[in-house]
């Protein structure tokens, strides 16, 4: 559910203005309506995404890092990433990476996390070569701590659970995202 809300916040004030599209409309149109992409230029549903990546969980060339774990124990997770990349165990580099990936650092340096430049590159161009008139918003996607997340309706939460059971559970055996996360944590030393 957090991934869907994060995706909504990512596009908010970029692809649409503020509350022009509610979180429930977003869930209906961009999360629950998607399945297998029509082409490689389209993204799949979040459930197909989980399904495809989870098939790689035993592959030593893949490292699974969960946002929840980055929040709970950033030092341990950065050390895991550092080790996976084959880098020397450098405590100063690890502490720098943890500090510079923190919400506080991002809020102090919001201009470094400004996405309008990326959006301007990706914006579809009209026949005259001008970029589409997408929302200009601030472009900064760092949400201050304590800011209320959009509420997803109970109906859409139930639909998300049903889609997980239909698509992810049969392939992976995980009954929920929480089960998947617990399994991954049990594999991590």
């Amino acid at each position: 559910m957090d991934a869907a809300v994060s995706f909504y916040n990512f596009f908010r004030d970029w692809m649409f203005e503020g509350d022009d599209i509610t979180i429930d409309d977003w869930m209906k149109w961009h999360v629950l309506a998607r399945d297998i992409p029509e082409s490689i230029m389209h993204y799949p549903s979040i459930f197909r995404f989980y399904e495809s990546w989870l098939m790689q969980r035993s592959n030593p060339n893949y490292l699974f890092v969960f946002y929840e774990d980055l929040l709970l124990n950033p030092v341990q997770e950065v050390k895991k990433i550092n080790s996976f990349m084959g880098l020397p165990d450098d405590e100063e580099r690890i502490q720098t990476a943890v500090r510079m990936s923190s919400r506080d650092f991002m809020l102090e340096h919001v201009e470094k996390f400004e996405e309008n430049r990326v959006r301007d590159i990706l914006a579809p161009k009209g026949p005259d070569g001008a970029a589409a008139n997408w929302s200009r918003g601030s472009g900064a996607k760092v949400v201050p701590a304590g800011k209320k997340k959009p509420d997803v309706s109970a109906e859409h939460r139930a639909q998300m659970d049903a889609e997980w059971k239909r698509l992810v559970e049969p392939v992976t055996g995980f009954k929920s995202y929480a089960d998947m996360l617990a399994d991954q944590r049990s594999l991590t030393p």
Side-chain angles (χ1 to χ4, degrees), residues 21-92:
I21 298 176
T22 67
I23 186 67
D24 282 319
D25 286 340
W26 180 261
M27 296 294 287
K28 182 171 50 180
W29 299 329
H30 292 280
V31 178
L32 294 166
R34 295 186 182 276
D35 194 8
I36 297 172
E38 296 172 20
S39 76
I40 61 170
M41 296 305 293
H42 295 94
Y43 57 89
S45 75
I46 187 96
F47 308 102
R48 295 290 183 191
F49 172 81
Y50 287 140
E51 174 188 355
S52 68
W53 279 101
L54 286 169
M55 296 298 94
Q56 300 299 325
R57 70 182 177 273
S58 298
N59 186 330
N61 295 315
Y62 288 77
L63 175 67
F64 285 80
V65 178
F66 290 85
Y67 178 71
E68 296 89 343
D69 294 335
L70 281 168
L71 290 178
L72 287 173
N73 197 340
V75 172
Q76 176 182 319
E77 293 302 300
V78 170
K79 284 182 177 182
K80 186 167 63 172
I81 295 165
N82 190 66
S83 174
F84 179 78
M85 293 173 62
L87 298 172
D89 194 15
D90 179 341
E91 193 60 34
E92 183 179 345

Side-chain angles (χ1 to χ4, degrees), residues 86-103:
L87 298 172
D89 194 15
D90 179 341
E91 193 60 34
E92 183 179 345
R93 177 185 21 236
I94 289 167
Q95 291 303 323
T96 298
V98 168
R99 181 179 57 79
M100 293 179 79
S101 62
S102 72
R103 174 182 274 128

Side-chain angles (χ1 to χ4, degrees):
M1 190 66 60
D2 281 348
V5 172
S6 178
F7 199 39
Y8 170 80
N9 284 327
F10 178 78
F11 279 111
R12 189 176 183 176
D13 292 330
W14 183 356
M15 298 290 285
F16 58 91
E17 296 283 339
D19 293 322
D20 284 356
I21 298 176
T22 67
I23 186 67
D24 282 319
D25 286 340
W26 180 261
M27 296 294 287
K28 182 171 50 180
W29 299 329
H30 292 280
V31 178
L32 294 166
R34 295 186 182 276
D35 194 8
I36 297 172
E38 296 172 20
S39 76
I40 61 170
M41 296 305 293
H42 295 94
Y43 57 89
S45 75
I46 187 96
F47 308 102
R48 295 290 183 191
F49 172 81
Y50 287 140
E51 174 188 355
S52 68
W53 279 101
L54 286 169
M55 296 298 94
Q56 300 299 325
R57 70 182 177 273
S58 298
N59 186 330
N61 295 315
Y62 288 77
L63 175 67
F64 285 80
V65 178
F66 290 85
Y67 178 71
E68 296 89 343
D69 294 335
L70 281 168
L71 290 178
L72 287 173
N73 197 340
V75 172
Q76 176 182 319
E77 293 302 300
V78 170
K79 284 182 177 182
K80 186 167 63 172
I81 295 165
N82 190 66
S83 174
F84 179 78
M85 293 173 62
L87 298 172
D89 194 15
D90 179 341
E91 193 60 34
E92 183 179 345
R93 177 185 21 236
I94 289 167
Q95 291 303 323
T96 298
V98 168
R99 181 179 57 79
M100 293 179 79
S101 62
S102 72
R103 174 182 274 128
D104 288 343
F105 182 87
M106 290 181 202
L107 287 170
E108 288 170 23
H109 301 84
V110 72
E111 73 284 354
K112 301 286 187 191
F113 301 92
E114 160 62 57
E115 294 176 356
N116 280 328
R117 286 173 280 164
V118 173
R119 185 202 45 223
D120 290 343
I121 292 167
L122 296 177
K125 308 289 187 255
D128 60 356
N133 187 21
W134 288 356
S135 169
R136 287 303 298 171
S138 72
K141 298 300 179 183
V142 184
V143 179
K147 183 174 179 182
K148 187 179 181 319
K149 291 181 184 178
D151 290 325
V152 176
S153 70
E155 174 189 357
H156 285 119
R157 287 180 182 279
Q159 287 176 326
M160 293 280 286
D161 290 343
E163 284 296 282
W164 182 281
K165 292 196 177 308
R166 181 177 78 87
L167 298 171
V168 181
E169 184 178 355
V171 177
T172 67
F174 298 124
K175 295 183 185 306
S176 67
Y177 179 87
D179 287 350
M180 174 187 71
L181 184 57
D183 179 74
Q184 187 62 35
R185 286 176 175 162
S186 74
L187 300 174
T188 305

